[in-house]
Amino acid sequence: MEWYLPVIWAGLIGTAVAMYVVLDGFDLGIGILFPFAKKEDERDVMMNSVAPFWDGNETWLILGGGGLWVAFPKAYAIIMPAFYLPMIIMLLALVLRGVSFEFRWVAKPNHHWWDIAFAGGSTLAAFSQGVILGGLIQGVNVANGQFAGGAFDWLTPFSILTGLAVVAGYGLLGATWLNMRTSGPVRTLGRRFAPLLLIAVLIGMGIISIWTPLSVERIAERWFSLPNFYFLWPIPAVTLIVAYLILRWLKTGHDALPFLGTIVLFLLGYAGLVISTVPYLVPPHLTFWDTAAAPESQIFLLIGTLFLLPMILGYTIFVYWTFRGRVAPGEGYH
Amino acid sequence: MEFDPVLLARIQFAFTISFHIIFPAFTIGLSAFVTVLLLLWLKTGEEKFHRLARFWTKIFAVSFAMGVVSGIVLSYQFGTNWSRFSEFSGNVIGPLIGYEVLTAFYLEATFLGIMLFGWNRVPPWLLTLASGLVAFGTATSAFWILSANSWMQTPAGYEIRDGIAFPLDWLAIIFNPSFPLRLAHMLTAAYLTTAVVVLAVGARYVLARQYTEEARTMLRMAVGMIAVTAPLQLVIGDLHGLNTLHHQPMKVAAMEGNWNTATSGHFVIFGIPSQSAEKNYLELAIPYAGSLVLTHTWDGKYPGLTDVPPENRPPVANVFFAFRIMVGIGLLLIATGLFGALLWWRGKLFTTRWYLTGTSYMWPLGFIAILAGWFVTEQGRQPWLVYGLLKTADGISPVPGASVFGTLILFIFVYGAVFSTGVYYINRLIAKGPKGSLAAAPAGLPNRPISAAEPAAREATGKDPGKSIKPKKGGR
């Protein structure tokens, strides 16, 4: 067994998930902030600011899910049934919000229901993703290489907390995105909500960081044993510094810096989670190597991935470059 | 209340995949049709081809978006509903699905933007090329997905170790025995289905005396296409049937309602198959016809359902009736194509009212035939999920039936709302017709299917259908 193939694939899927969280995070965040914008034209601007990007962003979700099946079929076969209900609810929420991007314009002036579908779908999808994350951190009940738990194992106080934290985090990405990309009342909305959401995110991160090592021995071991602790203490420290900087940049009216700072905040949190769980893919039982597909399968798709992934990345950059700059009120696609 | 998790998982998957397949089938055909229209426009410079291409591109955009959102669901449902199957076949099928996502997504996402938003900003040849690449991308999707499905029907190039399939030979896996004919059958079905929709829309306009020039072009192109592809589909279908007889004899036995090898050979036109009595009630059959079709001899025999124990037989009635619906529609389409060609040759295609009225209602037939065909091939594979290797009952996830039931209700509710809105919207676009005036294209190349159709939709929801419209600025 080539030991390095599962590591490469874990890196690729980890990258796809990080791309997904950051990219779809901000456009889900727009949906989360939607109820707080009361005027129709403000909502139009909010939607238009993410309209060219959302479906490209969601592609990373297909790549992540499909990649997991190809590279780690055993993990896919355990995680999906373990989170059956939040997974299906997330998918249906994404369907509803995805079509509301378009149907909302068609339905005008009776677009009220599609506003609800967009806001509700975005919020529910974000919450489901957070619940799945929390459930994964806590670990999945596995017996004989199969999921062996109940339908509601994932529903714990901890997973509800991670669900709310992800909603707040995506909301923060959305708010700082609005601060960067829009002007007028919509930008004001983003700037008003960003500090509140940032504090919520920090509280969430703090509770998760304390709760996890207390409840999972393995994670406490990872962070607080020596010499690990010497290398790892900068992560929470840098997180706090970045959070402080985001607040300052918001006050001084910077455009892009708060958004980029939020991305860094997300990546730091993500790094913390990775450090806690590596090398487990299905904590607390199965590692990358335990769940890996046959090497010949991993190689076969790796060839195509290494060729096509740079092209997809290039296309993503091209789209973002094409649509750089602020969205003025009343301007957009429709 | 007792829930049967196997049955519910099957119903849920059948529901979501049936909804999904309608849209890819239509977009495979439509993207090819739009490409042909653009090529004709390039070649002749006639404005009507340009108007038609724009019109069908809008409809393509809506269908494509529906295909995407329902497709995301499917990429996760293998894991949620069929986790044991995912683990069993992941090494073999996983990469095929992976390539589908990578290749098809890349081609479609990249060139879709140009196809939908490039109308006023890129040269015509580039627009045509983009449209052609999108058509190629949709067909590539079909290639990989059907390869994976065919492997489940006729597994090849693998070995089983510790209860899991491992790949031995990728070419043998991809080009497994039933794949080439299945791909030909499905692609032809997609093109034929789209031609029927184009025919119905053209007939609708001719009857309403609207867009006469475009409508006549559509009628001629559609009749020509159906006259060629409908008979061709019969030939491909027959070859596919022979291939199935060779690899999955019980599927053919269910299609034929053939219970006993000894009495096989007659073709059952009608009957009511009974799984428990092992016979057909009210049977009406043509002697020797079955042998002619399936063995190409006068009195050849082929396996009947009683060759295998009852638990290894597919649900006969479902397969039997679905097959007759598919073949019946196929024969009707052959007649439609050939008769339409005869009318065209006699110069009466645009004046024969009964023909136009009949065909204007035929638009759903292709979709129904495709669904019936999938019901034949998937239910005919039962009780196997991977033929001969993994039983359907052994492929499901360890998820309680109540969870599957609850989410099935949610699926029905959400899909019902979303897709009825989408279909209503396509119908509004068709009612609006191919207008000469065009709304300005939006800035840049957004990767957004439906927004290309949006200006038209705004017009479609206007107060005055049928009146000429002014191009909307919409702040673009």
Side-chain angles (χ1 to χ4, degrees):
Chain A
M1 175 103 190
E2 291 85 342
W3 65 270
Y4 57 88
L5 273 174
V7 178
I8 294 175
W9 270 108
L12 280 172
I13 290 166
T15 307
V17 170
M19 287 289 290
Y20 172 75
V21 165
V22 167
L23 292 176
D24 211 29
F26 75 76
D27 70 60
L28 285 163
I30 299 296
I32 292 164
L33 294 171
F34 221 57
F36 301 101
K38 293 283 180 273
K39 291 204 185 88
E40 185 185 340
D41 57 340
E42 291 175 15
R43 290 183 173 185
D44 290 358
V45 170
M46 286 167 82
M47 229 176 194
N48 279 334
S49 75
V50 294
F53 310 113
W54 73 271
D55 42 10
N57 295 346
E58 237 152 65
T59 306
W60 293 98
L61 184 67
I62 309 180
L63 278 177
L68 189 66
W69 185 20
V70 177
F72 303 100
K74 209 183 197 58
Y76 179 82
I78 292 166
I79 292 171
M80 295 293 157
F83 298 101
Y84 186 83
L85 293 171
M87 219 42 105
I88 300 250
I89 287 167
M90 173 192 87
L91 291 168
L92 284 170
L94 288 174
V95 167
L96 267 179
R97 82 176 283 267
V99 295
S100 54
F101 265 101
E102 313 296 343
F103 288 174
R104 188 173 168 272
W105 295 100
V106 183
K108 281 192 172 206
N110 312 310
H111 55 272
H112 178 65
W113 285 105
W114 294 112
D115 276 2
I116 294 173
F118 181 62
S122 304
T123 311
L124 196 57
F127 183 72
S128 309
Q129 287 170 12
V131 165
I132 292 166
L133 172 73
L136 265 179
I137 294 172
Q138 288 195 304
V140 178
N141 189 345
V142 176
N144 308 322
Q146 295 266 347
F147 170 61
F152 290 95
D153 279 16
W154 46 272
L155 189 62
T156 63
F158 180 77
S159 69
I160 289 174
L161 172 76
T162 51
L164 293 171
V166 167
V167 172
Y170 285 176
L172 177 62
L173 275 170
T176 50
W177 168 265
L178 289 177
N179 167 62
M180 174 172 76
R181 297 298 299 263
T182 62
S183 49
V186 177
R187 183 172 183 223
T188 313
L189 178 105
R191 294 182 60 182
R192 203 173 69 230
F193 275 90
L196 303 172
L197 288 162
L198 178 62
I199 288 157
V201 169
L202 285 177
I203 293 171
M205 274 178 150
I207 299 176
I208 293 165
S209 306
I210 295 162
W211 194 331
T212 341
L214 287 180
S215 61
V216 185
E217 182 61 31
R218 173 177 50 84
I219 295 176
E221 180 76 13
R222 174 67 45 92
W223 284 86
F224 299 118
S225 65
L226 302 176
N228 291 12
F229 185 71
Y230 295 131
F231 295 105
L232 297 180
W233 72 263
I235 292 181
V238 172
T239 304
L240 286 170
I241 294 167
V242 170
Y244 169 74
L245 286 173
I246 294 171
L247 275 175
R248 256 194 55 183
W249 287 328
L250 280 166
K251 273 209 173 61
T252 51
H254 272 287
D255 297 348
L257 287 172
F259 181 67
L260 296 174
T262 306
I263 291 178
V264 172
L265 204 65
F266 259 86
L267 293 177
L268 285 163
Y270 191 66
L273 292 172
V274 169
I275 288 163
S276 295
T277 49
V278 153
Y280 290 99
L281 203 55
V282 186
H285 301 290
L286 302 166
T287 65
F288 308 146
W289 295 283
D290 300 332
T291 56
E296 50 270 43
S297 305
Q298 291 196 330
I299 287 256
F300 179 58
L301 191 69
L302 190 61
I303 295 163
T305 306
L306 294 179
F307 179 69
L308 290 161
L309 201 61
M311 289 205 220
I312 294 174
L313 279 170
Y315 175 71
T316 307
I317 292 165
F318 167 75
V319 170
Y320 278 83
W321 178 251
T322 309
F323 291 96
R324 65 196 181 282
R326 287 189 186 279
V327 183
E331 173 210 316
Y333 292 83
H334 292 283
Chain B
M1 185 163 174
E2 271 304 306
F3 294 108
D4 175 358
V6 179
L7 184 65
L8 281 165
R10 285 177 61 198
I11 290 173
Q12 189 180 95
F13 200 77
F15 179 78
T16 50
I17 208 160
S18 297
F19 254 104
H20 175 69
I21 190 64
I22 289 170
F23 298 101
F26 196 32
T27 51
I28 288 167
L30 267 187
S31 52
F33 181 53
V34 167
T35 307
V36 171
L37 287 167
L38 286 169
L39 283 169
L40 287 167
W41 175 52
L42 277 183
K43 190 163 167 269
T44 64
E46 285 181 53
E47 202 51 36
K48 67 176 180 188
F49 290 122
H50 185 247
R51 281 199 296 271
L52 276 173
R54 284 238 41 169
F55 168 68
W56 285 106
T57 299
K58 290 170 188 166
I59 292 163
F60 170 85
V62 186
S63 317
F64 186 82
M66 304 274 202
V68 170
V69 291
S70 54
I72 293 179
V73 172
L74 284 175
S75 67
Y76 278 77
Q77 272 209 311
F78 292 114
T80 52
N81 287 21
W82 307 101
S83 68
R84 290 191 185 93
F85 159 78
S86 317
E87 194 181 342
F88 171 85
S89 63
N91 288 329
V92 177
I93 294 187
L96 307 185
I97 306 275
Y99 268 106
E100 191 270 334
V101 174
L102 284 170
T103 53
F105 161 72
Y106 184 66
L107 273 172
E108 287 163 25
T110 308
F111 295 102
L112 189 74
I114 300 175
M115 181 180 169
L116 298 189
F117 299 100
W119 288 88
N120 298 337
R121 54 187 66 242
V122 300
W125 66 267
L126 182 57
L127 192 68
T128 311
L129 181 70
S131 172
L133 286 167
V134 168
F136 179 69
T138 54
T140 308
S141 264
F143 176 96
W144 290 111
I145 294 292
L146 287 170
S147 175
N149 176 267
S150 298
W151 189 85
M152 292 160 64
Q153 306 277 2
T154 51
Y158 68 95
E159 62 175 0
I160 306 282
R161 296 203 303 264
D162 316 321
I164 304 249
F166 283 85
L168 290 177
D169 175 356
W170 285 112
L171 279 178
I173 290 167
I174 296 168
F175 295 97
N176 58 73
S178 65
F179 170 58
L181 283 165
R182 190 183 312 275
L183 179 66
H185 201 43
M186 181 66 203
L187 286 179
T188 310
Y191 297 132
L192 182 57
T193 296
T194 308
V196 174
V197 175
V198 174
L199 177 77
V201 172
R204 180 171 156 180
Y205 290 154
V206 170
L207 286 171
R209 297 204 171 81
Q210 286 179 301
Y211 321 111
T212 314
E213 195 189 2
E214 289 88 353
R216 291 182 171 200
T217 307
M218 277 196 265
L219 272 182
R220 280 195 292 260
M221 289 176 82
V223 164
M225 186 76 183
I226 296 167
V228 174
T229 47
L232 179 72
Q233 184 68 320
L234 185 72
V235 175
I236 297 171
D238 178 53
L239 291 170
H240 191 26
L242 295 181
N243 176 282
T244 306
L245 178 65
H246 186 68
H247 295 281
Q248 298 172 298
M250 286 309 112
K251 184 189 285 186
V252 174
M255 283 153 68
E256 300 289 333
N258 166 31
W259 293 93
N260 296 300
T261 307
T263 58
S264 67
H266 55 276
F267 179 78
V268 181
I269 295 179
F270 183 81
I272 299 173
S274 162
Q275 201 91 8
S276 51
E278 300 186 350
K279 60 181 255 201
N280 305 326
Y281 294 108
L282 304 175
E283 186 176 294
L284 176 70
I286 308 175
Y288 306 112
S291 299
L292 282 174
V293 170
L294 283 168
T295 65
H296 294 202
T297 60
W298 185 246
D299 54 358
K301 297 291 177 210
Y302 39 91
L305 288 154
T306 47
D307 287 11
V308 296
E311 67 271 15
N312 281 357
R313 296 171 200 163
V316 180
N318 299 10
V319 178
F320 179 87
F321 287 119
F323 179 66
R324 269 144 197 76
I325 290 168
M326 177 181 78
V327 173
I329 290 174
L331 295 173
L332 180 61
L333 292 182
I334 291 173
T336 305
L338 296 179
F339 196 79
L342 180 74
L343 288 175
W344 184 7
W345 181 59
R346 292 197 165 175
K348 291 187 178 164
L349 182 57
F350 311 122
T351 50
T352 314
R353 282 197 77 85
W354 66 266
Y355 181 81
L356 294 171
T357 309
T359 52
S360 71
Y361 289 105
M362 283 173 74
W363 63 270
L365 286 185
F367 298 111
I368 295 168
I370 285 176
L371 287 174
W374 276 107
F375 272 81
V376 169
T377 202
E378 295 293 281
Q379 295 211 38
R381 194 187 57 224
Q382 301 304 330
W384 300 101
L385 187 49
V386 180
Y387 196 74
L389 301 180
L390 180 74
K391 286 266 173 81
T392 304
D394 300 330
I396 59 162
S397 300
V399 169
S403 295
V404 188
F405 181 76
T407 51
L408 176 62
I409 300 296
L410 282 177
F411 268 117
I412 291 171
F413 180 73
V414 172
Y415 275 36
V418 165
F419 291 104
S420 56
T421 309
V423 170
Y424 167 78
Y425 178 15
I426 289 177
N427 192 42
R428 290 307 305 252
L429 283 173
I430 290 173
K432 205 68 204 161
K435 289 278 187 250
S437 64
L438 307 173
L445 296 179
N447 176 13
R448 299 191 52 213
I450 300 193
S451 43
E454 196 281 316
R458 260 246 224 124
E459 290 147 16
T461 49
K463 295 277 184 291
D464 261 342
K467 277 204 178 160
S468 71
I469 43 150
K470 292 191 289 290
K472 292 244 159 100
K473 279 284 179 290
R476 291 169 201 268

